[in-house]
Amino acid sequence: MVKHIVTFKFKGDEAVRREYAERFKAALMSLPAVIPCLESMEVGINENPAETWDLVLTAVVPTMADVDVYAKHPAHVAAAAIIAPVKDSRACVDYEI
């Protein structure tokens, strides 16, 4: 199994960042129902005003190759397009569990 953890930082004021985070979270949470290799998805929106990252997602897939399948799936591509106008930074770690 592979755990895929991604953090995002968005541009804009707090209200804009929160709006995009909520929309992105909703889209991400719908993915396990349409991407067969996606075993689980957890998405959190930052609640700590002292921190600068806005959203984190944790997904679990069977293999490292499935990370690529997930990333290229049309539903994931559509979800990622939601934040394209405001994405400032992205950091990712994939590791075997």
Side-chain angles (χ1 to χ4, degrees):
M1 302 296 270
V2 174
K3 191 168 274 193
H4 173 71
I5 300 174
V6 188
T7 60
F8 295 90
K9 188 182 298 186
F10 302 140
K11 300 177 210 171
D13 63 27
E14 184 178 339
V16 167
R17 294 191 333 269
R18 183 68 184 209
E19 174 192 345
Y20 277 91
E22 293 285 353
R23 289 176 50 210
F24 189 40
K25 178 179 180 176
L28 290 170
M29 293 305 295
S30 72
L31 296 180
V34 295
I35 302 176
C37 67
L38 192 52
E39 303 223 347
S40 68
M41 172 70 73
E42 181 178 334
V43 180
I45 297 172
N46 183 36
E47 301 292 336
N48 184 348
E51 298 298 334
T52 60
W53 292 89
D54 294 295
L55 183 139
V56 63
L57 75 85
T58 303
V60 175
V61 295
T63 68
M64 195 60 77
D66 289 319
V67 173
D68 192 49
V69 170
Y70 155 74
K72 292 178 180 175
H73 191 281
H76 176 264
V77 172
I82 291 169
I83 60 164
V86 296
K87 185 171 75 173
D88 183 41
S89 300
R90 175 188 178 276
C92 177
V93 174
D94 295 313
Y95 62 93
E96 299 223 6
I97 54 174

